[in-house]
Amino acid sequence: MFSDKLINAIKSKNNPTVVGLDPRIESIPEFIKEIAFKKYGNNVKGISEAIYYFNRGIIDSIFDVVPAVKIQVAFYEVYGPDGFDIFFKTAKYAKEKGLMVIADVKRGDIADVAEMYSKAYLQNEYIDAITVNPYMGEDTITPYIHDVIEHEKGLFILVKTSNKGSYTIQNLETENGTVYENVANMVNKISNLVKGKLGYSSIGAVVGATHKEEAKILREKMPSVIFLVPGYGAQGATAEDVTNCFDENNLGAIVNSSRKVIFAYKSQYWKDVYSEYEYAQAARSEVLLMRGMINNALLKRKYIAC
């Protein structure tokens, strides 16, 4: 089951983090672009191949220290069929390296359309889980459940997102609490349909690290739900901010970092240590730093609780 595999992967690598592969061609090292453009041309095909070369370098550098990668489909769709091909090639390569793959696709539509999205992604052998948008209601989520069970896949439902403007809708008050609390209640209900041996559900929730007080509320409302936690790093959330997303066992959450990891070689912290040729080594160093900071923050929380 997806939830058991993910929790075991987190435990085995002592690392509750996921690396987001959100490549921006303008930030990819020049030497990679030169290689790809020389072979394929400075065009959509060349850009797509440069992204793939870049992704492979990142994956090769971090596969042994992280449990999963998250691939944001928008950064591939923008390049049409060539980009979409690279999206799936990246997923395939990550799986071959033993990583779990979360496809960040945020699909959301009426039930018969949702069924097609589910077939497209959850029936793909290289994808372990996807993100979905529940805005259209519970009946648009249920079509995914069959594939979650049948193919042992995972689903992360948007509950409280990390962007600053999320409050305009998600924090609206209703007679039954805020909108995000109502969504959390729905997620908690359906999460009981797919629980693993370790006590966690394969139906997860996206909960932003930038809203730590809301995360505390949501952790109580969804005790057996795994949180996919964006917002760390480039969006401003710290290791201390993410601790409310974890349960009392310091499990139940996986924290995503994208730009801060994959473009670490350009950051103030690492740019004097690594050249662009060492972009992958810089990414690995950033991952190890992130792991240490989060694990230390969780340990500190545990001591304070005692």
Side-chain angles (χ1 to χ4, degrees), residues 23-291:
R24 294 162 171 80
I25 192 62
E26 64 273 13
S27 296
I28 287 177
E30 290 299 321
F31 81 93
I32 292 179
K33 289 185 278 191
E34 288 174 8
I35 293 170
F37 293 171
K38 184 176 181 179
K39 186 173 182 180
Y40 297 101
N42 187 352
N43 50 35
V44 169
K45 177 66 174 176
I47 291 171
S48 299
E49 291 298 328
I51 287 172
Y52 183 57
Y53 295 162
F54 176 79
N55 286 348
R56 284 186 56 151
I58 296 291
I59 291 168
D60 286 344
S61 74
I62 53 91
F63 75 91
D64 61 325
V65 292
V66 300
V69 291
K70 181 175 74 66
I71 312 175
Q72 168 51 258
V73 71
F75 290 90
Y76 304 84
E77 285 183 341
V78 68
Y79 300 113
D82 289 311
F84 214 54
D85 179 59
I86 295 306
F87 172 82
F88 286 107
K89 281 180 68 175
T90 297
K92 181 176 184 290
Y93 189 74
K95 287 295 290 182
E96 289 172 348
K97 284 291 188 175
L99 290 165
M100 300 190 74
V101 175
I102 301 168
D104 194 356
V105 296
K106 294 186 177 72
R107 299 309 192 217
D109 214 318
I110 60 174
D112 58 339
V113 179
E115 185 179 349
M116 295 301 104
Y117 282 137
S118 186
K119 288 181 178 180
Y121 292 103
L122 293 182
Q123 292 186 21
N124 186 290
E125 62 182 311
Y126 305 121
I127 292 173
D128 295 290
I130 63 172
T131 56
V132 295
N133 191 327
Y135 186 78
M136 293 178 68
E138 184 175 344
D139 62 323
T140 68
I141 300 299
T142 52
Y144 297 98
I145 306 302
H146 171 78
D147 285 329
V148 166
I149 297 171
E150 180 72 18
H151 300 282
E152 297 190 346
K153 298 300 179 78
L155 201 64
F156 289 100
I157 301 171
L158 303 185
V159 176
K160 185 70 178 94
T161 56
S162 59
N163 58 303
K164 292 180 180 179
S166 67
Y167 72 92
T168 58
I169 293 177
Q170 295 167 16
N171 285 54
L172 288 176
E173 290 287 347
T174 76
E175 60 182 12
N176 297 314
T178 62
V179 170
Y180 76 80
E181 288 176 303
N182 279 272
V183 176
N185 291 336
M186 179 195 75
V187 173
N188 186 60
K189 181 182 71 174
I190 64 176
S191 72
N192 293 315
L193 298 172
V194 200
K195 273 192 179 179
K197 294 179 180 178
L198 299 178
Y200 296 93
S201 175
S202 290
I203 308 295
V206 176
V207 177
T210 48
H211 307 293
K212 62 180 183 180
E213 293 306 316
E214 288 93 334
K216 186 175 182 179
I217 295 169
L218 292 171
R219 184 74 276 170
E220 293 175 356
K221 285 185 171 293
M222 300 180 287
S224 62
V225 170
I226 299 173
F227 288 10
L228 172 61
V229 186
Y232 181 93
Q235 292 187 55
T238 66
E240 285 72 23
D241 291 333
V242 307
T243 57
N244 284 346
C245 294
F246 290 81
D247 62 22
E248 66 277 7
N249 298 313
N250 286 344
L251 290 169
I254 187 163
V255 183
N256 177 76
S257 184
S258 301
R259 285 169 284 173
K260 191 172 177 64
V261 171
I262 65 175
F263 301 128
Y265 81 99
K266 296 169 73 73
S267 72
Q268 288 294 116
Y269 194 85
W270 298 113
K271 69 177 183 178
D272 293 329
V273 180
Y274 297 104
S275 71
E276 71 164 21
Y277 296 98
E278 300 168 305
Y279 77 95
Q281 293 95 316
R284 181 183 179 88
S285 292
E286 182 62 37
V287 163
L288 293 174
L289 179 62
M290 179 181 173
R291 178 179 70 176

